Amino acid sequence: QVQLVESGGGMVQPGGSLRLSCAASGSISVIYTMAWYRQVPGNQRELVATATSGGSTTYADSVKGRFTISRDNAKNTVYLQMNSLKPEDTAVYYCNTYALTNWGRRGEYWGQGTQVTVSS
């Protein structure tokens, strides 16, 4: 199994910054893609940013130029630096990974989520 533990959420004023972290642990053989999603109650979960093991990144149009995803492959950790935060960025942020376990199982895994609230 693969466990993902997120940290770094909280409340910030509009224009402020937060940095989310997500550490993967467990019976991991290979981590392919790591990503961040977010969800507002009543809405579908939305892809925010992805980072491949090779260093390629993608972003939702709504966060381009404000958010930066990065990975520390040695630590199996992914980060999301969020700058110029807006009230519409308020959501529960989830870490996601697609990985190969030591038992040869490929699968998608999710963290428990961390709340980000942007409000004055």
Side-chain angles (χ1 to χ4, degrees):
Q1 281 286 29
V2 176
Q3 295 82 40
L4 299 176
V5 178
E6 301 122 332
S7 62
M11 180 177 288
V12 65
Q13 292 187 341
S17 298
L18 283 175
R19 188 191 194 211
L20 306 182
S21 300
C22 172
S25 62
S27 302
I28 300 169
S29 178
V30 178
I31 291 181
Y32 300 110
T33 301
M34 300 192 83
W36 288 96
Y37 286 73
R38 65 187 182 187
Q39 188 171 25
V40 176
N43 290 3
Q44 287 190 339
R45 197 165 290 188
E46 171 192 26
L47 177 62
V48 176
T50 64
T52 69
S53 57
S56 297
T57 58
T58 63
Y59 296 93
D61 287 343
S62 59
V63 307
K64 281 181 182 176
R66 301 188 297 121
F67 291 10
T68 302
I69 188 170
S70 61
R71 285 176 61 164
D72 184 335
N73 291 329
K75 296 181 179 180
N76 288 337
T77 299
V78 64
Y79 306 96
L80 187 68
Q81 177 66 44
M82 304 185 293
N83 299 329
S84 302
L85 282 161
K86 304 175 181 180
E88 51 263 44
D89 294 318
T90 297
V92 177
Y93 283 71
Y94 295 91
C95 179
N96 168 278
T97 187
Y98 186 71
L100 174 69
T101 69
N102 291 333
W103 291 283
R105 178 183 182 275
R106 287 185 177 85
E108 190 174 32
Y109 299 91
W110 292 91
Q112 80 285 355
T114 185
Q115 177 70 44
V116 172
T117 302
V118 185
S119 175
S120 55

